[in-house]
Amino acid sequence: MLLIECPWCGPRDESEFAYSGEAHIVRPLTPEELTDEEWADYLFCRRNTRGDHLEQWCHASGCRRYFNVQRDTVTYRIKSVYKPGEPPPGDRP
Amino acid sequence: MSQPHRLAEGGRIDRKRPLTFTFNGRVYPAFRGDTLASGLLANGVHLVARSLKYHRPRGIVGAGVEESNALVQVGEGARSLPNLVATQVELYDGLSARSVNVFPSVGFDLRAVNGWFARLMPPGFYYKTFMWPAGSWRQYEHQIRKAAGFGVVPTGADPDDYDHMNVHCDVLVAGAGPAGLAAALEAGRTGARVILMDERTEPGGALLAGSGRIEGLPAGRWVNRMVEELASLPEVQVLARTTVAGYYEHNFLLALERRTDHLAPGSDPGPRQRLWRIRAKQVVLATGAIERPLVFCNNDRPGVMLASGVSEYIHRYAVLPGSRAVVFTNNDSAYQTAFDLLDAGAQVEAIVDSRPAGQRSAEARERGLQVMNRHAVVDVRGAKRIRGVRLMALSADGGSVSGKGRLACDLLAVSGGWSPTVQLHAQSGARPAYDARKVCFVPGPSVQAERSAGACRGSFDLQACLTEGFRAGAAAAHATGHGDGGLSRPIPSVEGREGDPIQPLWIVPAGKPVSRVPKQFVDPLMDVSAADILTAVREGYDSIEYVKRYTNLGMGPDQGRLGNVNGIAILADQHGTDPGSIGTTTFRPMYTPVTFAALSGGEQKELFDPVRKTAIHEWHVEQGALFENVGQWKRAWYFPWPGESLDEAVDRECLAVRRSVGVLDASTLGKIDIQGPDANVFLNRVYTNPFMKVPIGRCRYGLMLDENGMLMDDGVTARLGEDHYLMHTTTGGAAHVMSWLELWLQTEWPELKLYMTSVTDHWATVSLCGPNSRRVLRKLCSDVDLSRESFPFMAVREGAVAGVPARIFRISFTGELTYEVNVNANFGRHVWEAVFDAGEEYGITPFGTEAMHVLRAEKGYVIVGQDTDGSVTPVDLGMERMLGRKKDFLGKRSLFRSYLVRKDRKQFVGLLTEDPKEVLPEGGQIVDDPSAPLPRPMLGHVTSSYYSAALERSIALGLVKGGHGRTGETVHIQNFDGRTIAARIADPVFYDPKGERQNV
């Protein structure tokens, strides 16, 4: 079970959190102008990262706030957590 | 009563507390402190089990967790536990145990005939043999399963309590042998919070099973001194009978404490077992090592034991497992067992050592023992108990044998070297590495905050165990900010002796090909022999993971603790490589079995999941309502009169609503209070229909889609003030909708100014439905004008109802004139009862969810999750008018994808059977031609189906391909009894299609 550091509440057990998918998926501002393929890319296509993954978690049984986690999908090591709107750590591929 | 094999003195048993226990129906004497295994051996009982596949007689092999033959069923009835290991079952007076997998008894097992045909039962036998005729496997399997398997499940619900303990610590030490004791003490001395856990009855590990001395003290006395000092440290906790069984991410570990299994049932009021959930900053693994058996013919016969087990029975339990012993080894450690046997008064016929003469053999000869160097035991005589061994001379490389010899004996103590217990290390994500010098797998580089010390690191001598233990404790504590990493005092010294290296000896040659000699067991628990592994290799299974699954090597309850390394090495030999290149199989939690009861702990029965009840719930109970579960809510289902059936009650409740007035407890509907200047912008984005300009005091029904365009939830949102809205959600969808809205607000639109609060439980909702509802409410509410003109349909007003502040919504899920009265939940029952008093003259009737479902179906109203399943769009439902054209909303773009604009999608329709009495089956598949050959093209299914008392006929709703264009056509529905029922596609609004009744 992961130990996740909520940016507002501090380190808590994974069981207090809900996973919410890949972070930094931005909803297109003008969906009606997108082709089906472009819209499907926003809807369905996600990175299948081996290594550092930027993902959203919600402290569902705590402060109920969403935040971002940089987690290694191989070792499960959590390298950083940061609030929504803050820039992701390091260079994004 | 005598215990013929009990030594006159010694051991850690309590001779002042004799007891009796029952095994396979016979009563035996023993002492407190005995295990079931030591108690049986004290009484001369070796034959305790039958093997899984061949039903061969099996005896006790070891003295601890490594035991893999002596599986027993302990206790009776609901408290019975299957597949316990006799060496880990502590005796209490009256304990009752029996062998598993025997028929009819362990002494005479009919299924032992399997052994005669063993040559015909290669690996994969069942699958290869029972493939024909095709499709018959299921019948075969039933018989095979009966013959195989282990214990039986308890006969009733477990009467005992189990619980969980969540703890944090600086240093968790797993294992309280010499290394673990040293680590815990050194870490504890720094002031760090330390937990030391050990699976055995008391700390000490191998120190309690041997005769060594530390700092001049007998090992047992030294252990006592260590335990005393640990007890004096306030931040140190020592738990015996506690197995660290699982090692997970981020240094989270699970341990099972067996609190009362060693006591007579019911004699302790506390929980029987406790699951410890531990988050440790640092972990020290001091889990020791397990002795390996040697692989020779008939090495599974009762009387063949691990040398370390024999020593442990002598020292710990004062039990001598045999009187004439032969010791067979490829390493030094078994020599001590020979000396222990000699000191305990046994006759040691010979030490058979695969290696040339060395220091230890010289020492043994000095003590008058016969040592046969470069020899091997190739076979044993005797079936239910050994009578002797066959010996042969071994070549220098261990690859061939010659000559012959025999020795009579009743005990054969074997040692094939030691396997460090690297399971927890491997579970942590690390990979064990092979050490060719030590001939075993040792821990590889750590990937979590853990370190190994002592025998589990391949350091088998006592001095190394102590040194590594103290150092690991200091280093682990230092890593958590305690101490300076140095040792607090000098490491105790132990008398040590140089020894000779171990000689790898994976299969003892028997002078013939492996396939032609009696079985040489590698994994006796699963009846896997060396020949089976060779067969698997010959058939092309070259990876250890394949060999494991094909032969069942290591698949038993012991997860290959005893046999896996031998199996890996035999496979490596076949490939001409070393065990390191083969690698181990994956080690998964749990290290030893953990009961489901302990895993669930207190989270069972009424504590398994919260039960939510409305403020009016007790009234429903008093009225004899039946309930249904909607999410976590208990909702009144229907209110039967005495003798009334479900159908009769629902018909009566429905007619009351249509003809006069009924009342529904609608408190469970999700309610989200939304406040802020941007609330309307937010609502406008999450609902399909426009929400920018809802007038204050008015309500609007909204559809919520996911981004895929599929209907997710629906409900009425009311504007209570300038910046104040109240959103209703479905009962079951409330929590999900709240999370969904929070996600968008926090991550995508953080600039919007609004707050959301779940207020579901704050309000009780009394829904008055029916033509007389206005008359009833008028008697209770004088400060709101209830007339149609000033309080129209889809409006909300605030006022006092039955003297209580209330919000009244004119919204309807039944199609009748309806007032939903919301009051503070604390007043819910008061208002509910006042409504009943006021409605008595109109025959006011409580109705439940079943009647509500019928009433809404008469109106063709959708229930999200019943008529929809996450693949239905508003267009499919015929609700295009609900889609805002001039705005974007969540899910809108998806509705224009090519697949979603097809005309042949499943569409929401009404269904009317030709026979008005016939009620269609919900879930029934809809087809065009009931006589078409199978598989028949399916058009959709029935989603809702009821008998409507108001319409005096059955009605149904369903999804049908292209259904919107097929009104009036006939389709056929498959019934559960095999019949097909004809029905006509109709408009889904069956009752009051113009909606006049709710708008009066």
Side-chain angles (χ1 to χ4, degrees), chain A residues 1 13 27 42 66 76, chain B residues 250 279 707 746 893-894:
Chain A
M1 183 161 54
D13 271 344
R27 188 172 198 269
Y42 154 72
Y66 286 83
Y76 294 175
Chain B
H250 298 189
R279 185 77 71 176
E707 274 283 63
Q746 291 181 32
R893 173 65 185 81
S894 286

Side-chain angles (χ1 to χ4, degrees), chain B residues 587-633:
Chain B
F587 294 100
R588 295 189 178 86
M590 309 292 185
Y591 172 62
T592 49
V594 173
T595 59
F596 280 109
L599 288 174
S600 53
E603 293 166 17
Q604 47 178 310
K605 297 175 188 149
E606 68 274 17
L607 297 180
F608 178 68
D609 198 33
V611 173
R612 301 174 78 182
K613 298 173 181 171
T614 74
I616 309 162
H617 180 87
E618 294 307 323
W619 188 92
H620 306 325
V621 173
E622 289 160 20
Q623 297 296 312
L626 279 80
F627 292 85
E628 71 167 338
N629 297 327
V630 183
Q632 293 169 331
W633 286 103

Side-chain angles (χ1 to χ4, degrees), chain B residues 212-231:
Chain B
R213 297 178 82 84
I214 302 173
E215 291 179 306
L217 290 175
R221 293 254 310 274
W222 186 82
V223 169
N224 293 346
R225 223 170 65 180
M226 303 282 280
V227 171
E228 277 164 30
E229 188 182 343
L230 284 169

Side-chain angles (χ1 to χ4, degrees), chain A residues 1-3 13 20 25-27 31-32 34-36 39 42-44 56 64-66 76-78, chain B residues 248-250 252 277 279 707-708 739 742-744 746-748 888-891 893-894 897-898:
Chain A
M1 183 161 54
L2 306 181
L3 184 69
D13 271 344
S20 185
I25 304 291
V26 179
R27 188 172 198 269
E32 67 280 5
L34 301 186
T35 64
D36 276 8
W39 181 249
Y42 154 72
L43 271 186
F44 304 120
Q56 277 185 148
R64 291 200 64 83
R65 290 213 249 184
Y66 286 83
Y76 294 175
R77 234 188 94 211
I78 291 177
Chain B
Y248 303 87
E249 298 84 24
H250 298 189
F252 179 77
R277 298 154 48 92
R279 185 77 71 176
E707 274 283 63
N708 224 346
S739 293
E742 283 173 331
L743 172 68
W744 288 101
Q746 291 181 32
T747 66
E748 200 72 29
D888 187 26
F889 54 85
L890 295 180
R893 173 65 185 81
S894 286
R897 286 179 292 164
S898 58

Side-chain angles (χ1 to χ4, degrees), chain B residues 654-925:
Chain B
C654 287
L655 290 175
V657 172
R658 293 281 179 234
R659 291 173 183 167
S660 178
V661 59
V663 189
L664 176 77
D665 179 359
S667 307
T668 62
L669 276 188
K671 293 175 270 295
I672 300 172
D673 192 274
I674 303 174
Q675 299 190 36
D678 292 325
N680 57 343
V681 177
F682 182 69
L683 290 168
N684 202 48
R685 291 179 187 177
V686 299
Y687 277 130
T688 62
N689 44 331
F691 264 85
M692 289 303 286
K693 290 173 184 158
V694 179
I696 293 173
R698 297 301 296 234
C699 305
R700 187 160 291 175
Y701 174 70
L703 294 181
M704 206 178 279
L705 309 187
D706 61 23
E707 274 283 63
N708 224 346
M710 303 302 158
L711 186 62
M712 189 177 91
D713 205 80
D714 69 342
V716 168
T717 294
R719 188 172 182 190
L720 301 174
E722 179 64 31
D723 297 334
H724 190 185
Y725 294 79
L726 184 76
M727 173 188 285
H728 288 96
T729 74
T730 58
T731 296
H736 175 64
V737 168
M738 187 72 186
S739 293
W740 171 251
L741 298 180
E742 283 173 331
L743 172 68
W744 288 101
L745 181 61
Q746 291 181 32
T747 66
E748 200 72 29
W749 307 319
E751 72 282 0
L752 294 185
K753 291 192 179 70
L754 62 116
Y755 289 107
M756 289 182 293
T757 311
S758 168
V759 294
T760 302
D761 299 84
H762 300 39
W763 299 89
T765 305
V766 181
S767 181
L768 286 97
C769 315
N772 283 322
S773 56
R774 182 180 284 136
R775 292 190 183 91
V776 174
L777 188 59
R778 195 168 273 151
K779 289 168 74 176
L780 298 170
C781 174
S782 55
D783 58 350
V784 177
D785 179 354
L786 299 178
S787 68
R788 178 186 180 179
E789 294 69 34
S790 69
F791 190 178
F793 183 53
M794 295 302 274
V796 54
R797 297 287 179 266
E798 296 193 9
V801 174
V804 173
R807 286 178 187 155
I808 308 168
F809 298 86
R810 261 206 72 181
I811 54 184
S812 174
F813 199 43
T814 61
E816 295 297 332
L817 173 66
T818 298
Y819 295 91
E820 290 205 347
V821 179
N822 281 252
V823 296
N824 181 312
N826 293 316
F827 299 125
R829 176 140 185 193
H830 159 76
V831 173
W832 181 269
E833 288 180 352
V835 164
F836 269 85
D837 289 344
E840 199 176 353
E841 60 180 294
Y842 303 102
I844 193 165
T845 301
F847 69 99
T849 50
E850 190 64 24
M852 177 192 82
H853 281 200
V854 177
L855 293 164
R856 65 88 205 179
E858 289 169 348
K859 289 291 297 175
Y861 293 150
V862 167
I863 289 185
V864 176
Q866 173 160 343
D867 300 295
T868 72
D869 59 4
S871 71
V872 179
T873 72
V875 181
D876 299 335
L877 293 169
M879 299 172 100
E880 293 92 336
R881 63 188 159 76
M882 294 285 292
L883 305 178
R885 295 180 190 284
K886 294 178 190 156
K887 66 163 191 171
D888 187 26
F889 54 85
L890 295 180
K892 181 177 188 180
R893 173 65 185 81
S894 286
L895 297 175
F896 299 95
R897 286 179 292 164
S898 58
Y899 189 70
L900 296 196
V901 297
R902 286 170 61 141
K903 297 293 173 214
D904 61 347
R905 284 182 58 79
K906 290 180 185 172
Q907 293 164 338
F908 187 63
V909 297
L911 293 164
L912 291 171
T913 51
E914 286 178 355
D915 174 2
K917 296 286 174 211
E918 182 98 68
V919 179
L920 290 172
E922 284 184 358
Q925 292 292 326

